[in-house]
């Protein structure tokens, strides 16, 4: 047996690790970074709630639009600006609606990232939730002192 379970497979070189982590970050965003960008009014991002209209109305990220992943196709996305980066989310880690939405958006030619942890992690970070059919806004809202991670 090896002296270490962790080191049974040696770590990659620092350069390989940096490349991999950069690659990994190109696919995901976390709730805190999304909240920061929405608060600052970063206009290159559009957040998409991939859940049903009923779930969206019950509570969503302020500023997010609602486009259910099951309805994503060329017609339903024709009005979206292809110069933007879209961030998809759903309920949380037990839901793959954000993954399906990110896949469909990318397959349709959009730049997209998936928000890790969905609305569950958004709430865990203490960010506000908007209710109703309107997106609402995070612009100018204070989001706390600092990210806990």
């Amino acid at each position: 047996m090896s002296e270490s379970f962790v080191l049974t497979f040696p770590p990659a070189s620092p350069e390989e690790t940096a490349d991999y982590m950069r690659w990994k970050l190109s696919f995901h965003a976390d709730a805190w970074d999304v909240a920061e960008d929405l608060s600052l009014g970063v206009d290159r991002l559009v957040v998409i709630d991939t859940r049903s209209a009923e779930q969206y109305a019950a509570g969503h990220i302020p500023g997010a639009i609602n486009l259910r992943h099951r309805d994503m196709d060329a017609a339903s996305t024709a009005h979206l600006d292809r110069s933007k980066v879209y961030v998809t989310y759903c309920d949380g880690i037990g839901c793959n609606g954000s993954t399906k939405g990110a896949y469909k958006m990318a397959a349709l030619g959009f730049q997209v990232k998936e928000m890790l942890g969905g609305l569950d992690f958004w709430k865990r970070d203490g960010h506000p939730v908007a209710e109703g059919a309107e997106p609402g806004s995070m612009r100018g809202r204070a989001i706390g002192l600092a990210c806990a991670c």
Side-chain angles (χ1 to χ4, degrees):
M1 184 185 336
S2 169
E3 290 181 28
S4 167
F5 290 103
V6 171
L7 299 177
T8 299
F9 299 94
S13 72
E15 295 80 15
E16 290 170 319
T17 301
D19 287 345
Y20 174 75
M21 294 302 166
R22 184 179 309 106
W23 173 81
K24 187 176 174 182
L25 288 167
S26 69
F27 295 100
H28 298 107
D30 70 8
W32 196 274
D33 290 345
V34 171
E36 288 273 6
D37 281 359
L38 290 174
S39 176
L40 294 171
V42 174
D43 63 354
R44 291 180 38 221
L45 296 179
V46 176
V47 179
I48 298 177
D49 185 316
T50 63
R51 303 171 305 146
S52 71
E54 295 78 21
Q55 289 171 311
Y56 178 83
H60 60 271
I61 292 174
I65 63 171
N66 183 221
L67 181 55
R68 193 171 79 133
H69 71 86
R70 293 176 188 213
D71 298 329
M72 289 178 180
D73 59 22
S76 67
T77 61
H79 69 285
L80 298 177
D81 184 345
R82 290 184 178 274
S83 70
K84 306 276 184 180
V85 174
Y86 293 86
V87 178
T88 61
Y89 78 91
C90 57
D91 283 329
I93 62 172
C95 176
N96 66 4
S98 60
T99 304
K100 290 175 180 177
Y103 166 76
K104 287 181 179 181
M105 293 294 289
L108 289 164
F110 292 92
Q111 294 181 75
V112 64
K113 288 188 171 201
E114 181 180 20
M115 189 178 87
L116 299 171
L119 191 60
D120 179 37
F121 280 39
W122 178 267
K123 290 175 182 178
R124 285 184 191 197
D125 281 350
H127 303 307
V129 174
E131 294 179 351
E134 295 301 315
S137 177
M138 277 288 292
R139 189 177 208 126
R141 287 189 179 192
I143 63 164
L145 299 174
C147 178
C149 59

